[in-house]
Amino acid sequence: MSHISKAEAFYKPHRKHPELFQEHFLESWLHPDMLEIVQDFEKYYEKQWQKQQEDNGNMDEIDTTLSPMDDAKATQISSKLNLETSGVYSFECLSESFLEMINEELFHFYKVTAEHDIPVRRPNSMNNYGVILNEIGMRPMITALQQQYIWPIARVLFPTQGKVFHDHHSFIVRYQADEDLGLDMHTDDSDVTFNVCLGDKNFTGATLVFCGTFGQADHRQFQHTYHHKVGRAVMHLGDRRHGAEDIDEGTRMNWIVWNHNWEYRSSPQYKQRMTTLAYQAEHLPPSKVCLSYTHDRDYTHFHSELPKAAEDLHLHPWCPPPGKEYEGYGKVSLRHKLSRQTGNGETHPNEL
């Protein structure tokens, strides 16, 4: 029996809500706003499809991919959709009854696995208390959510990356004072990311900071701070740099679905994007809040030391790639070294 299958097999007899492990996602589990958004976007897509049929008599040549979505237009399609910042959208997503049910199941899972020493694989090396939901039996339920409700929205908001979803990586992240506090700046191994807050209602801090897009000149420029609300989801492209700031009080638990489009990933556009050859030179020094201790070569140019969370990591910083540095990159490094030697701290003009 594989390591992956052990968690699912051992936990199966302990399940509290078997319906969470079936091949369906009930409408009653969604907030009315989510249902309205899906209906609005399905109507919009159908209207655009009909227009293409009218404009093109040859059905074989019709491309089901819509044109890139304008931010303002997206919120016009459905009044229940909120534009947080360019390319980042939020909306009420889950019903109170579903939140109660899935939280009860997850807390029970944590309890049972701890009592029985069930092996649990974590979502990534930086999250020590998360759970990969696909590996405990919830993949069928999440696939239903993806295909029936996430995809109809994503194919309109992000028509290239969201044209079709073939698979997903779905997991829980958890932050609290005596565990993981936050998550370093990063991009996702996702084409379209769906992130919904499960609880609890009394946490403070742990905001989600959005910066620019991977490979673009504004990659490390601050764009927006998103404040999580229980039951509310945020959706964005996976190549958007973002990170979770440290939690102050309580526990924040989020359910994240990384949606994958294998057709897009096999395209020249995607393959070129994944190389540093297409990386644009940065026009400005990075916003301080957008720096990554995992990925950025100049992290300690702006911070006196690495955070405690980086102590056990084998770091291989690469950003910005050589030749793509902002003007004055070397001077900032030298100034930082001198300030550390003399003990005189400096404040960089890009303080965010």
Side-chain angles (χ1 to χ4, degrees):
M1 184 180 294
S2 69
H3 176 81
I4 290 177
S5 64
K6 280 185 179 180
E8 181 175 355
F10 286 150
Y11 183 65
K12 190 172 183 178
H14 302 280
R15 294 173 179 173
K16 292 183 70 69
H17 300 285
E19 57 268 44
L20 291 175
F21 302 85
Q22 304 300 315
E23 295 182 6
H24 62 238
F25 198 96
L26 303 181
E27 283 193 0
S28 61
W29 294 352
L30 293 172
H31 191 283
D33 285 7
M34 176 71 165
L35 290 171
E36 184 175 327
I37 292 170
V38 172
Q39 291 169 1
D40 290 341
F41 274 74
E42 286 180 332
K43 289 177 183 177
Y44 175 83
Y45 185 86
E46 182 65 25
K47 185 177 179 180
Q48 298 303 307
W49 170 247
Q50 290 176 354
K51 185 176 185 302
Q52 287 196 49
Q53 286 180 305
E54 294 170 359
D55 295 343
N56 191 330
N58 187 345
M59 293 294 293
D60 294 334
E61 296 180 4
I62 295 179
D63 186 357
T64 57
T65 305
L66 301 184
S67 299
M69 176 58 57
D70 176 79
D71 287 328
K73 179 113 183 226
T75 55
Q76 292 172 4
I77 296 174
S78 179
S79 62
K80 302 300 183 182
L81 185 75
N82 186 62
L83 176 65
E84 295 292 333
T85 188
S86 181
V88 179
Y89 305 91
S90 72
F91 45 89
E92 296 292 346
C93 181
L94 301 176
S95 68
E96 289 288 342
S97 60
F98 181 80
L99 285 165
E100 181 178 352
M101 179 169 58
I102 193 168
N103 275 310
E104 187 176 50
E105 187 73 56
L106 290 170
F107 283 118
H108 183 62
F109 174 82
Y110 279 113
K111 180 175 181 291
V112 169
T113 53
E115 290 176 349
H116 296 267
D117 197 26
I118 297 176
V120 178
R121 197 159 69 97
R122 303 305 178 187
N124 54 63
S125 62
M126 295 185 291
N127 193 281
N128 300 302
Y129 300 91
V131 177
I132 301 175
L133 297 180
N134 291 357
E135 296 183 2
I136 67 171
M138 290 188 181
R139 176 185 285 276
M141 179 267 287
I142 299 172
T143 298
L145 169 67
Q146 179 197 57
Q147 296 298 320
Q148 293 173 233
Y149 303 110
I150 298 176
W151 176 59
I153 301 173
R155 67 178 175 177
V156 176
L157 293 179
F158 311 110
T160 299
Q161 297 86 346
K163 180 180 179 180
V164 63
F165 288 151
H166 299 96
D167 198 3
H168 59 83
H169 174 56
S170 303
F171 54 95
I172 296 294
V173 293
R174 189 174 76 180
Y175 304 106
Q176 63 185 42
D178 57 341
E179 297 181 350
D180 293 324
L181 297 176
L183 188 61
D184 188 28
M185 277 286 158
H186 64 283
T187 56
D188 297 334
D189 183 16
S190 163
D191 299 314
V192 177
T193 296
F194 170 88
N195 181 347
V196 59
C197 185
L198 300 180
D200 63 42
K201 293 183 177 180
N202 298 316
F203 72 86
T204 59
T207 54
L208 191 61
V209 175
F210 285 97
C211 303
T213 300
F214 175 85
Q216 295 187 5
D218 70 347
H219 179 204
R220 301 193 296 163
Q221 298 300 312
F222 171 78
Q223 302 292 336
H224 181 67
T225 297
Y226 174 73
H227 296 265
H228 283 285
K229 177 186 174 185
V230 175
R232 191 172 183 89
V234 61
M235 188 181 291
H236 58 89
L237 291 177
D239 61 3
R240 192 67 174 263
R241 178 174 274 218
H242 58 287
E245 294 192 304
D246 287 355
I247 195 164
D248 296 323
E249 294 181 343
T251 301
R252 174 166 78 77
M253 191 158 65
N254 279 55
W255 172 14
I256 299 172
V257 181
W258 285 358
N259 299 282
H260 294 145
N261 177 348
W262 301 129
E263 288 181 7
Y264 168 63
R265 291 192 167 211
S266 65
S267 69
Q269 176 186 353
Y270 178 83
K271 291 177 181 178
Q272 182 182 33
R273 185 187 68 81
M274 294 305 292
T275 70
T276 57
L277 294 176
Y279 199 101
Q280 297 177 5
E282 297 184 328
H283 298 322
L284 295 169
S287 301
K288 193 172 181 179
V289 74
C290 292
L291 285 164
S292 164
Y293 55 80
T294 306
H295 305 292
D296 293 348
R297 295 190 291 136
D298 55 353
Y299 181 88
T300 54
H301 297 183
F302 301 89
H303 294 272
S304 59
E305 58 185 6
L306 292 171
K308 187 175 182 181
E311 289 180 356
D312 298 326
L313 299 178
H314 298 288
L315 303 178
H316 302 283
W318 59 271
C319 184
K324 306 295 183 178
E325 299 93 341
Y326 47 88
E327 185 177 355
Y329 175 89
K331 293 179 180 178
V332 170
S333 176
L334 177 61
R335 187 167 64 244
H336 174 74
K337 289 178 180 178
L338 291 174
S339 68
R340 293 183 69 179
Q341 291 172 359
T342 61
N344 295 322
E346 292 191 43
T347 301
H348 195 273
N350 202 4
E351 268 304 298
L352 275 175

